[in-house]
Amino acid sequence: MIYLDNAATEKPNENCIKAAKKYLYDDYYNPSALYKSGYGLHLELKNARSEILSHIADDNEFSLIFTSGGTEADNQALFCGGKRGNVVTTNGEHSAVFLAVNELKQRGIEVRFANLNADGSVDVEHLLSLIDDKTSLVSVIHVNNETGAVNDIFAIAEKIKAKNKYAMVHVDGVQAYGKLKYKLTKDIDLYSISAHKIGGVKGCGALIKKKNLQIKPYIYGGGQEQGFRSGTENVFAIKCFEFAARDRYADLINSFEKARQLNKILRGALREDLFKVISSENASPYILSVAAKGVRGETILHEADDRGIIIGTGSACSSNQKKRFSRVILACGIDNQTADGVLRLSLSPTNTAEEVLKAAQELNEIVGNRKNIMA
């Protein structure tokens, strides 16, 4: 099997799971308990929180709230930050943000959507034009999960604050954490990350927040996570996240370069007469979005699956919405016919050149055969 749907989820890092296994079977205690074993786990969580945060932020300026994943982190940011006036976001957001702001709209909050450029990045000038003195929150994705377009969130955040210093700035960083090199700046208020995109296990993520930022809890109960997110912490998943992040950041530059080379091989091996490349050369190398010419993406996905090639047709989190065309792809200005053939090929450091070349050859054959049948 050749797995090229890593933007949806990566295979868990076996070494990290082995290292964290004791938190399932031995150190299974409640980290909020007062007895010694529980307090020991409380310290383990403190260390995990500090290390996961340290890769992208200064822990003197930022803190970290563990959540059940990127979706919950996004929802907490939006529902706790978008409380008044208007909320500004983009047409390129993950469904965790897009559907959350539409719920805010149902609750009486005005929501404004910024246009996208052809590669899926936000039209910054249009975004800024939507912000006024009543804007309570602005949410901009760091790396577009369908096209891989990278938004310069640091420059964007600085411009947002220059226009309205009271507006909270939230960034969905799920496809950036553990893949790109960066540090959060003072203009970022909230930042969402997820474990299973970098070799951790599903069901664990985090919302990073400015330390002096006041937000209300999203989930109420026992007051865990400094009162911001109640519920007994999943120590096993959190430790897997810590270990996976440590492993990924130890080789971040080499992994990025490997992904860049694999992306280049894919781009070069897919036949130009059969595929249109959507992702720009400046996109995250971990995501390559293409469109088969005249053949439905879903048809190709199933035939590729039969051949042992696992790929995506866009955001996996949107696949349950029964919509034929991706709203993000359409927002890039792509016509319905082209959008119907979109495929997302996403990479991880564990992929090989042989795998991606084989996948490209199989995809060329699948689409070529389909076009011959239709001719």
Side-chain angles (χ1 to χ4, degrees), residues 13 15-16 51 55 198 241-252 255:
N13 185 314
N15 291 331
C16 296
E51 179 157 341
H55 299 300
I198 60 166
F241 194 4
E242 175 191 357
F243 300 150
R246 181 187 303 169
D247 185 78
R248 187 58 60 88
Y249 276 93
D251 203 32
L252 187 74
S255 294

CSV table of all heavy atoms in Angstrom, one decimal, residues 13 15-16 51 55 198 241-252 255:
chain,number,residue,atom,x,y,z
A,13,ASN,N,3.4,7.4,15.0
A,13,ASN,CA,4.8,7.0,15.2
A,13,ASN,C,4.9,5.9,16.2
A,13,ASN,O,4.6,6.1,17.4
A,13,ASN,CB,5.5,8.3,15.7
A,13,ASN,CG,7.0,8.1,15.7
A,13,ASN,OD1,7.5,7.2,16.3
A,13,ASN,ND2,7.7,9.1,15.2
A,15,ASN,N,7.5,4.5,17.6
A,15,ASN,CA,8.4,4.7,18.7
A,15,ASN,C,7.7,5.6,19.8
A,15,ASN,O,7.9,5.3,21.0
A,15,ASN,CB,9.7,5.4,18.3
A,15,ASN,CG,10.5,4.4,17.4
A,15,ASN,OD1,10.5,3.2,17.6
A,15,ASN,ND2,11.3,5.0,16.5
A,16,CYS,N,6.9,6.5,19.4
A,16,CYS,CA,6.2,7.4,20.3
A,16,CYS,C,5.2,6.6,21.1
A,16,CYS,O,5.0,6.8,22.3
A,16,CYS,CB,5.6,8.6,19.6
A,16,CYS,SG,6.8,9.7,18.8
A,51,GLU,N,6.9,21.5,26.4
A,51,GLU,CA,7.7,21.1,25.2
A,51,GLU,C,6.9,21.3,23.9
A,51,GLU,O,7.5,21.7,23.0
A,51,GLU,CB,8.1,19.6,25.4
A,51,GLU,CG,8.9,19.1,24.2
A,51,GLU,CD,9.8,18.0,24.4
A,51,GLU,OE1,10.1,17.7,25.6
A,51,GLU,OE2,10.2,17.3,23.5
A,55,HIS,N,8.3,24.5,20.7
A,55,HIS,CA,8.8,24.4,19.3
A,55,HIS,C,8.3,25.6,18.5
A,55,HIS,O,9.0,25.9,17.5
A,55,HIS,CB,8.2,23.1,18.7
A,55,HIS,CG,8.7,21.8,19.4
A,55,HIS,ND1,10.0,21.5,19.5
A,55,HIS,CD2,8.0,20.9,20.0
A,55,HIS,CE1,10.1,20.3,20.2
A,55,HIS,NE2,8.9,20.0,20.5
A,198,ILE,N,1.0,14.7,12.8
A,198,ILE,CA,2.4,14.6,12.8
A,198,ILE,C,2.9,13.3,13.5
A,198,ILE,O,4.0,13.2,14.0
A,198,ILE,CB,3.1,15.8,13.6
A,198,ILE,CG1,2.6,15.9,15.0
A,198,ILE,CG2,2.8,17.1,12.8
A,198,ILE,CD1,3.4,16.8,15.9
A,241,PHE,N,1.7,13.0,21.8
A,241,PHE,CA,1.8,14.2,21.1
A,241,PHE,C,3.2,14.9,21.4
A,241,PHE,O,3.9,15.3,20.5
A,241,PHE,CB,0.7,15.2,21.5
A,241,PHE,CG,0.5,16.4,20.7
A,241,PHE,CD1,1.2,16.6,19.5
A,241,PHE,CD2,-0.5,17.3,21.1
A,241,PHE,CE1,1.0,17.8,18.8
A,241,PHE,CE2,-0.7,18.5,20.3
A,241,PHE,CZ,0.1,18.7,19.2
A,242,GLU,N,3.6,14.8,22.7
A,242,GLU,CA,4.9,15.4,23.1
A,242,GLU,C,6.0,14.7,22.4
A,242,GLU,O,6.9,15.4,21.8
A,242,GLU,CB,5.0,15.2,24.6
A,242,GLU,CG,6.4,15.7,25.1
A,242,GLU,CD,6.6,15.3,26.5
A,242,GLU,OE1,5.7,14.7,27.2
A,242,GLU,OE2,7.7,15.5,27.1
A,243,PHE,N,6.0,13.4,22.4
A,243,PHE,CA,7.1,12.6,21.8
A,243,PHE,C,7.1,12.8,20.2
A,243,PHE,O,8.2,12.8,19.6
A,243,PHE,CB,7.0,11.1,22.1
A,243,PHE,CG,7.0,10.9,23.6
A,243,PHE,CD1,6.3,9.8,24.2
A,243,PHE,CD2,7.7,11.7,24.5
A,243,PHE,CE1,6.4,9.5,25.5
A,243,PHE,CE2,7.8,11.5,25.8
A,243,PHE,CZ,7.1,10.4,26.4
A,244,ALA,N,5.9,12.8,19.6
A,244,ALA,CA,5.8,13.0,18.2
A,244,ALA,C,6.4,14.3,17.7
A,244,ALA,O,7.1,14.5,16.7
A,244,ALA,CB,4.4,12.8,17.7
A,245,ALA,N,6.0,15.4,18.5
A,245,ALA,CA,6.5,16.7,18.2
A,245,ALA,C,8.0,16.8,18.4
A,245,ALA,O,8.7,17.4,17.6
A,245,ALA,CB,5.8,17.7,19.2
A,246,ARG,N,8.5,16.2,19.5
A,246,ARG,CA,10.0,16.2,19.7
A,246,ARG,C,10.7,15.5,18.5
A,246,ARG,O,11.7,16.0,18.0
A,246,ARG,CB,10.3,15.4,21.0
A,246,ARG,CG,11.8,15.4,21.3
A,246,ARG,CD,12.0,14.5,22.5
A,246,ARG,NE,11.2,14.9,23.7
A,246,ARG,CZ,11.0,14.2,24.8
A,246,ARG,NH1,11.6,13.0,24.9
A,246,ARG,NH2,10.3,14.6,25.8
A,247,ASP,N,10.1,14.4,18.1
A,247,ASP,CA,10.7,13.6,16.9
A,247,ASP,C,10.7,14.4,15.7
A,247,ASP,O,11.7,14.5,14.9
A,247,ASP,CB,10.0,12.3,16.8
A,247,ASP,CG,10.6,11.4,15.7
A,247,ASP,OD1,11.6,10.8,16.0
A,247,ASP,OD2,10.1,11.3,14.6
A,248,ARG,N,9.5,15.1,15.4
A,248,ARG,CA,9.4,15.8,14.2
A,248,ARG,C,10.3,17.1,14.1
A,248,ARG,O,10.9,17.4,13.1
A,248,ARG,CB,7.9,16.2,14.0
A,248,ARG,CG,7.6,16.9,12.6
A,248,ARG,CD,7.9,16.0,11.4
A,248,ARG,NE,7.2,14.7,11.5
A,248,ARG,CZ,6.0,14.5,10.9
A,248,ARG,NH1,5.4,15.5,10.4
A,248,ARG,NH2,5.5,13.3,11.0
A,249,TYR,N,10.3,17.8,15.2
A,249,TYR,CA,11.1,19.0,15.3
A,249,TYR,C,12.6,18.8,15.3
A,249,TYR,O,13.4,19.6,14.9
A,249,TYR,CB,10.7,19.9,16.4
A,249,TYR,CG,9.5,20.8,16.0
A,249,TYR,CD1,8.2,20.3,16.3
A,249,TYR,CD2,9.6,22.0,15.3
A,249,TYR,CE1,7.1,21.1,15.9
A,249,TYR,CE2,8.5,22.7,15.0
A,249,TYR,CZ,7.3,22.3,15.3
A,249,TYR,OH,6.2,23.0,14.9
A,250,ALA,N,13.0,17.6,15.7
A,250,ALA,CA,14.4,17.2,15.7
A,250,ALA,C,15.0,17.1,14.3
A,250,ALA,O,16.2,17.3,14.1
A,250,ALA,CB,14.7,15.9,16.5
A,251,ASP,N,14.1,16.9,13.3
A,251,ASP,CA,14.5,16.7,12.0
A,251,ASP,C,13.7,17.5,11.0
A,251,ASP,O,13.4,17.2,9.9
A,251,ASP,CB,14.4,15.2,11.6
A,251,ASP,CG,15.4,14.9,10.4
A,251,ASP,OD1,16.4,15.5,10.3
A,251,ASP,OD2,15.0,14.0,9.6
A,252,LEU,N,13.2,18.7,11.5
A,252,LEU,CA,12.2,19.5,10.8
A,252,LEU,C,12.7,19.9,9.4
A,252,LEU,O,12.0,19.8,8.4
A,252,LEU,CB,11.8,20.7,11.6
A,252,LEU,CG,10.7,21.6,11.0
A,252,LEU,CD1,9.4,20.9,11.2
A,252,LEU,CD2,10.7,23.0,11.7
A,255,SER,N,13.1,16.9,7.0
A,255,SER,CA,11.8,16.5,6.6
A,255,SER,C,11.1,17.4,5.5
A,255,SER,O,10.5,16.9,4.6
A,255,SER,CB,10.9,16.3,7.8
A,255,SER,OG,11.4,15.3,8.7
